[in-house]
Amino acid sequence: MIKEIDNNQETLTNYKVQYSKRLENQMFHIPNGMELVIIALLILVLFGGKKIPEFAKGLGYGIKNFKNALNEHDETNKTEEVKTTILKVDEKIRDC
């Protein structure tokens, strides 16, 4: 009798886990082809044909500037590292 109750509780727990996973998949899913078409049409209607290329251009410009800023930051760090290394080597040479 106790084994049956334990098995029933375990089965119930498994069902709860499976149900919650199913709900998760239904709530947050990637739109399929038809949903993407509907979203694209809504964007076209809301913003119009002229605003979309301007938006895309601005987005591309922003991404380009972001990448350039990251590269500049990396180059600045490398330059500073080289300068500190040169100073350390210079101090060691002077100490000798």
Side-chain angles (χ1 to χ4, degrees), residues 4-6 12-14 24 30 40 45 47 55 62 65-66 69-70 84-87 89 92:
E4 289 177 17
I5 292 173
D6 287 340
L12 183 62
T13 305
N14 287 338
E24 243 179 53
I30 298 173
V45 168
F47 294 107
F55 173 74
N65 282 340
F66 180 74
L70 285 177
T84 55
T85 305
I86 290 172
L87 289 174
V89 169
K92 287 183 180 180

Side-chain angles (χ1 to χ4, degrees), residues 63-94:
I63 291 171
K64 181 181 174 183
N65 282 340
F66 180 74
K67 286 182 180 180
N68 288 339
L70 285 177
N71 289 337
E72 284 179 14
H73 181 69
D74 289 343
E75 290 173 7
T76 304
N77 285 343
K78 288 178 184 177
T79 305
E80 289 176 7
E81 288 176 12
V82 169
K83 286 180 182 178
T84 55
T85 305
I86 290 172
L87 289 174
K88 287 179 183 177
V89 169
D90 191 40
E91 288 176 6
K92 287 183 180 180
I93 291 173
R94 287 183 187 172

Side-chain angles (χ1 to χ4, degrees), residues 21-83:
K21 286 182 181 179
R22 210 174 333 151
L23 277 180
E24 243 179 53
N25 290 337
Q26 288 176 356
M27 289 174 56
F28 304 106
H29 71 281
I30 298 173
N32 60 19
M34 191 60 183
E35 291 171 346
L36 289 174
V37 169
I38 292 172
I39 292 170
L41 287 174
L42 285 174
I43 291 172
L44 184 62
V45 168
L46 290 175
F47 294 107
K50 291 185 180 180
K51 291 288 182 181
I52 294 174
E54 292 174 11
F55 173 74
K57 183 179 177 182
L59 185 63
Y61 182 73
I63 291 171
K64 181 181 174 183
N65 282 340
F66 180 74
K67 286 182 180 180
N68 288 339
L70 285 177
N71 289 337
E72 284 179 14
H73 181 69
D74 289 343
E75 290 173 7
T76 304
N77 285 343
K78 288 178 184 177
T79 305
E80 289 176 7
E81 288 176 12
V82 169
K83 286 180 182 178

